[in-house]
Amino acid sequence: MTVADGSDAHTDLLRAYEKSVGVSGAYSEFVTAPWGDRLSAVLPVRALASGAVAAFASSVDRYRRSVGLDTTAWKLSPDRISASFSGDRMYRENGEPVRAFAELSGFFECADGWVRTHANYPHHRRALLRAIGLDETATVDAARMRIGSLDSATIERRCARAGAIAVRVRTEQEWAEHEVGAAVASEPLVRSIHRSDAAPRPDYAATQQYPLRGLRVLDSTRVIAGPVASRALALLGASVLRIDPPDLPEIGWQHMENGQGKRSALLDMKTVEGLNTARQLCAQSDVFLSGYRPGAIENFGFLPSSFRPGIVCGSVSAWGHGARQNNAWLQRGFDSIVQAASGIAVIEGSENDPGALPAQALDHASGYLLAAGIVDALTATRISGSGCDVSVSLARTASWLTSAGGRTEHPDAASLPGPDSTVTHGPTTTALPALADYSDYPFPAHPLGSHAPSFDDDRGPTSA
């Protein structure tokens, strides 16, 4: 691997990725530039972000070589990477910014420390208020007072049982000694397991710009990490169809920010008709993405390899496979929640005043690591035809970040790049792709549910 013209911040995570999936990046070249104060933090967030993007780019090189295409040096642009990782802060609708977190999402002081809550979705807000003994009309001040009267263990336990989201703000040492924290740290950065099922994989019309052209991706992920992975695959020309349950709301701007290059359909898999449609779509797919807890979708009776032998299955979860073995750990998770539980909030602030990373970097980095694992799995299965399961977790990504070297004791305040790192389509302004070699995504995001649940309406890239 050759690095020129700047920082080599990406190399440590890139090597960790290559080791976890058993590949070599010897043929990948990167041109880098100084980071300045982009993604500035105590922890090496720049190394995490650039390393995850480099891992994805390197996987593209291996795929290109497998189909007889050339590889070229990649540009790792601090502005483009930081803009993409800060997509919520770069986003504009009719020129106006959006609020990334709801009023009941954040740090709250409790009787024995701090908890962090997540209530961006209406059903999570209702569940949180119910868990702490308030009705859904309660104010933020009422919630703050109620949380202040409870200890963190009680809040965690009640929220987990009620389907709400809250965790105690822990130090990194406390997380390392926690059963789930220790289990997560022992897992591979990216888990990639080849299966015995296999089927011939046709050769598609790959081009240099769109090496994944012709491949179909069925995406059932939501929020950020999974959609970032499928958006990255769409950037390379894959035909991506996202399916959402009609009864589960999605945050509009979040979908528009992460939905570029994809089609979006509503599909109720709780009905017989919807489940059969999902199985038919899966049978037509090369990749299936899910954001359920490990084992959950199989327990639901949906086994992609039984509909499509040789399929690559990618999954992202908050806590990884280790949490599955711990019946007492029922917490749901998002980027901010994992930051709080894993010690990051204390590192970036203090035990008395917890802080946060300058971007939802666990989400975005996990998304690119998952996309890299999927592309490498597609490369490996081109000859064997065998299926592969690829998985990442936000907590394992956090474990890499807290164990990596290169902390900055007194970092400068992080700044955002300018408008050159964004693109505007109609009323919507979004960050440009993290890969600076691409000028934009194949097409802007469509509103949620604007397509039929079918791959036939392919609005993918039309030029090489």
Side-chain angles (χ1 to χ4, degrees), residues 38 79-80 83 90 416-424 429-432:
R38 301 286 190 253
D79 278 0
R80 289 285 287 270
M90 305 296 291
L416 292 173
D420 287 349
S421 295
T422 64
V423 62
T424 299
T429 298
T430 57
L432 287 167

Side-chain angles (χ1 to χ4, degrees), residues 36-187:
D37 57 6
R38 301 286 190 253
L39 296 181
S40 179
V42 174
L43 290 166
V45 179
R46 291 173 289 211
L48 175 68
S50 58
V53 173
F56 177 56
S58 186
S59 73
V60 176
D61 280 344
R62 287 183 285 275
Y63 188 86
R64 280 176 172 165
R65 288 173 63 87
S66 76
V67 296
L69 296 172
D70 294 331
T71 60
T72 57
W74 294 92
K75 301 174 185 176
L76 294 182
S77 163
D79 278 0
R80 289 285 287 270
I81 294 172
S82 60
S84 184
F85 273 59
S86 306
D88 57 333
R89 299 174 65 189
M90 305 296 291
Y91 185 91
R92 297 289 186 273
E93 193 71 29
N94 292 313
E96 296 297 321
V98 294
R99 183 175 179 176
F101 290 98
E103 58 184 4
L104 278 178
S105 295
F107 293 108
F108 289 86
E109 194 168 9
C110 58
D112 61 345
W114 292 82
V115 293
R116 176 132 197 182
T117 63
H118 194 287
N120 283 5
Y121 292 91
H123 58 295
H124 288 154
R125 182 185 188 278
R126 291 191 296 269
L128 173 63
L129 292 172
R130 183 170 62 249
I132 61 176
L134 298 176
D135 64 45
E136 61 182 76
T137 64
T139 64
V140 177
D141 288 339
R144 183 176 290 109
M145 290 182 61
R146 179 61 175 157
I147 290 173
S149 70
L150 301 171
D151 63 83
S152 56
T154 298
I155 294 170
E156 275 194 340
R157 183 176 62 255
R158 289 185 180 181
C159 286
R161 291 175 177 174
I165 303 170
V167 295
R168 179 165 72 88
V169 174
R170 292 170 167 83
T171 66
E172 57 183 319
Q173 184 61 36
E174 288 173 326
W175 184 241
E177 295 171 354
H178 192 281
E179 184 178 350
V180 174
V184 164
S186 68
E187 295 178 357

Side-chain angles (χ1 to χ4, degrees), residues 171-233:
T171 66
E172 57 183 319
Q173 184 61 36
E174 288 173 326
W175 184 241
E177 295 171 354
H178 192 281
E179 184 178 350
V180 174
V184 164
S186 68
E187 295 178 357
L189 180 65
V190 177
R191 179 190 289 250
S192 184
I193 300 175
H194 289 274
R195 304 187 310 269
S196 60
D197 57 278
R201 190 178 297 278
D203 286 329
Y204 297 110
T207 68
Q208 189 71 19
Q209 185 76 354
Y210 299 118
L212 298 188
R213 168 175 278 168
L215 274 74
R216 288 176 166 178
V217 178
L218 184 61
D219 178 20
S220 67
T221 64
R222 295 168 52 81
V223 196
I224 297 177
V228 164
S230 58
R231 185 183 65 182
L233 300 177

Side-chain angles (χ1 to χ4, degrees), residues 318-342:
W319 308 108
H321 289 263
R324 184 183 179 186
Q325 311 303 322
N326 190 321
N327 294 328
W329 187 258
L330 302 175
Q331 273 69 21
R332 293 162 173 80
F334 292 88
D335 183 303
S336 59
I337 296 298
V338 174
Q339 286 189 43
S342 64

